[in-house]
Amino acid sequence: MDELKIEIKNLTKSFMGGEGEVKAIENLNLSIKENEFTVLVGPSGCGKSTLLYMLAGFEKPTSGSILLDNQIIKGPGPDRGFVFQDFVLYPWKTVVRNISFGLEIQGFSQKEAIEKAKQKINLLGLQGFENAYPHTLSGGMKQRVGIARALAYNPKVLLMDEPFGSLDAQTRKLMQEELLRIWNKEKKTVVFVTHSVIEAVFLADRVVVLTDRPSRVKGIIDIHLDRPRDYEHTYTDERYIELREKVLNILKDEVIHHKQHYESV
Amino acid sequence: MGYDNMNKKTIALIMSVIVLWQLIALLMNMKTLPSPVSVAGRTVELIYPKPLLLLHVAESTKRLIIGYLIALVLGLSVGIISGLEGNLKKIINPLMGFMISIPTIAWVPLLLILVGLGDKTIILAIFLGGFFPIAYNMQRGMEIVNLDLIRAAKIMGLKDIKCILHVYIPASMPSVITGARLGIGYSWRALVGAEMLAATEHGIGFMIYASRAFQDVPAMFLGLIVIGVLSYVTDKILITSVENKTIKKWGMVTQHG
Ligand SMILES: Nc1ncnc2c1ncn2[C@@H]1O[C@H](COP(=O)(O)OP(=O)(O)O)[C@@H](O)[C@H]1O
Ligand SMILES: [Mg+2]
């Protein structure tokens, strides 16, 4: 558990845009332990997705480095899984083929891949939807497929970019509980991005608060709440409420004018 | 609203147009406007005892399919490669823009000199008609693929080349269909024009043009109708069926009404 998994050192990322250089991230340092559930919160547009994209290997740092298992991340690879806010499923593949795709890429035969994918179908409660096409599913079901797809080939690290951001409040709470149940079963190092403090504190081992652009680490709050957690109990836990206040207070200076936004589920 | 209902309405509309046409032809009593009955009579003559009309149709269809398939294969290939390779796109797009603005029929006199009378010229014209819309739409389709679809595949370990087959091409199917549909329309037009100038014996365009010498106006009308029907049928068989099995089924197009 205390094994160091990800090490971000002096990370800087800037984009060249129409109005010159935009510094999204500047001198960011962060270490993440194996099987830890880390949640990144920060103002909208501060660089959370950019950071996650660099962890995924989709984008390259401008300077500094990211180590995964002591190796510099050179590009995307199947030691990681990625869950997108707007699902990004393959519309031309059925649910089961979306999930088995990663296994087929790893070299499993189609039959084996589908067999293995079925386990994730069960884990995510997608039974009965195996042969449905994504456009026929609700948002919540789509993201279940998105998570199953990312888990199917058994990556060690799960990167999630506001995965529940486009779901309604009810579905969102349900999915948060589901995610914790799954994470408890399949231990993974999770890096989860959100702008909801309620969500962050509910899920995390550690909440990392980022500053406004250019983003650096503003504070790290350990969330020593009992697991397993569920809304019924955790929600009314005084420590949970205190921790939420604590995170909000650190965020507040960054986003005074947007407080309500960050208090939504 | 039911599909059957729609079909019934379409048939009713066509029937009323034919009845109206017959009435006008009877009232005007003109040699130049043949009635539906005389067109039908001419149709029978052209099928029995000698199935001349069917020969025209078969010849045109054969040319169309050959020319169009070449346009499809080359158009999609050029579109895929230039859609992925920005430098190539910079070179060929001005050329494509130039070529796309030239009506295909304008090529035919030149082709007649370079290639001569007959099938080769006609098929080349069909190819020129279909190629540019197919290539252009395929290229656009490649460019507008959601990058996250590619990223999702790459993090699962998919390599660049395989990405083209497994992600880029299916993701750009709406553009493939649009290009294929425009392309077949342009190919038909090119076919009819080219057959008027370059065919030696058969073909719908040839039939229409040759009918002029005999003042055979019913045959001309018949030719127009056959072109309309054939292009409708080829679209249904080649394009709409693929569309229904792909992007409609996958929900990649919004279906209104
Ligand atoms: N590919 C890009 N090109 C230019 N600017 C970008 C690009 N990606 C992100 N940015 C900019 O970097 C900043 C951080 O973006 P992002 O990481 O998406 O923020 P967040 O996910 O925290 O809302 C924003 O100002 C955004 O406009
Ligand atoms: Mg973001």
Side-chain angles (χ1 to χ4, degrees), chain B residues 99-135:
Chain B
M99 297 287 280
I100 216 164
S101 65
I102 299 172
T104 317
I105 188 74
W107 286 101
V108 177
L110 184 64
L111 293 177
L112 280 172
I113 291 173
L114 295 175
V115 186
L117 276 175
D119 274 4
K120 276 188 195 148
T121 287
I122 300 168
I123 288 170
L124 260 171
I126 296 168
F127 162 75
L128 285 171
F131 175 81
F132 295 103
I134 293 171

Side-chain angles (χ1 to χ4, degrees), chain A residues 127-142:
Chain A
Q127 300 96 327
F129 294 91
E130 290 88 343
N131 298 316
Y133 283 93
H135 77 280
T136 63
L137 305 179
S138 66
M141 293 305 268
K142 280 182 186 155

Side-chain angles (χ1 to χ4, degrees), chain B residues 80 94 146 188 233:
Chain B
I80 289 167
N146 176 3
W188 262 114
V233 169

